[in-house]
Amino acid sequence: MEAREEDPYPDVTAAGGLVQALREEAARRGRDIGLPSWATDPLAVDTTRGYLSVDLAPEERLFRLRVHIPDFGWDIGSTDDLGTLVEAIAAWWEGVPYDELAARFGFLDLDGFTGALAAGEPTATQWAGLLSSAYYRGQRDLLRRLHADGALRNAFPTMSHRAVRLQVDPMHRESRQVLVYERRDGHYEVVRAGAAPTEVPDDALIAHLRAALYE
């Protein structure tokens, strides 16, 4: 008779899944990890510094932590201790500085992540990808025009239903952002969060976007 394989995650199994196990552990510790009530596997915690996700290593007990922004993600460490994981997620969600996080939680390896941010990535890489994409050929002239401006090229670009979205800081969800729709009549429609769309003539577009994002 074959021996039954030991479950490396008995606490997760007993709780009925990863999300519930994290909720219960956070409750025991009196910690808030920012986990929405509707969340199901895989875990996704929306923070002011990107999304955090956790997945389980298949053959050994390891909770693997990852941070995401649109189109980019970094593995930032793994631990076999559920409580330590909860404490790290809570500290990240609270906005504890990166250097303090690394000092408090030895399993975190933030060098690659923070190094990319310090080097101006992933913004430059994102611009290069959009400008060279055949899929967005129809928006290429607009993308090139925005990228040519010294201030706007520092904003993080994504595409949303054929509109260009510019965000001042992709790591902070509350940072300023605008959507730019190119129309066929020589005008643009610019949308800021919580505001009505604004019709902007071609010759005023760059100045309008600079003001919307940086003033």
Side-chain angles (χ1 to χ4, degrees):
M1 183 176 180
E2 293 185 3
R4 180 179 298 176
E5 292 186 4
E6 183 177 351
D7 180 4
Y9 304 100
D11 43 0
V12 173
T13 301
L18 176 59
V19 168
Q20 188 58 29
L22 284 160
R23 283 197 180 102
E24 292 176 3
E25 184 65 25
R28 278 193 290 271
R29 293 170 175 267
R31 302 289 275 157
D32 189 347
I33 58 174
L35 186 60
S37 59
W38 46 261
T40 58
D41 289 330
L43 173 69
V45 176
D46 184 9
T47 80
T48 58
R49 297 183 294 183
Y51 283 87
L52 290 181
S53 69
V54 178
D55 72 306
L56 308 177
E59 297 180 357
E60 61 177 327
R61 182 181 173 86
L62 274 181
F63 301 96
R64 300 182 297 202
L65 190 59
R66 189 170 174 82
V67 60
H68 310 258
I69 61 173
D71 300 324
F72 289 86
W74 297 265
D75 295 312
I76 57 172
S78 57
T79 178
D80 62 0
D81 188 82
L82 183 63
T84 300
L85 177 70
V86 164
E87 292 290 342
I89 293 173
W92 184 289
W93 190 76
E94 291 167 359
V96 171
Y98 296 129
D99 55 352
E100 186 176 337
L101 284 167
R104 285 172 56 181
F105 303 101
F107 78 92
L108 291 179
D109 182 3
L110 300 178
D111 289 346
F113 166 66
T114 56
L117 297 183
E121 296 294 346
T123 298
T125 298
Q126 181 77 346
W127 273 114
L130 292 180
L131 287 165
S132 63
S133 171
Y135 186 75
Y136 297 118
R137 187 181 293 111
Q139 289 74 43
R140 190 169 293 164
D141 287 345
L142 174 58
L143 286 165
R144 285 173 175 166
R145 183 178 180 188
L146 300 178
H147 183 260
D149 182 77
L152 298 182
R153 80 165 62 102
N154 292 322
F156 185 80
T158 53
M159 300 299 299
S160 177
H161 302 291
R162 300 295 177 174
V164 181
R165 182 190 303 274
L166 298 178
Q167 185 171 358
V168 172
D169 186 347
M171 292 308 305
H172 291 265
R173 68 182 179 204
E174 297 174 357
S175 71
R176 288 189 183 185
Q177 57 184 284
V178 294
L179 277 172
V180 187
Y181 295 86
E182 186 171 15
R183 300 190 343 192
R184 297 180 183 272
D185 60 359
H187 287 69
Y188 296 84
E189 189 172 277
V190 177
V191 182
R192 293 179 60 178
T198 301
E199 182 180 302
V200 181
D202 180 84
D203 59 0
L205 178 65
I206 299 303
H208 183 89
L209 294 177
R210 280 188 171 203
L213 290 172
Y214 298 111
E215 293 181 6

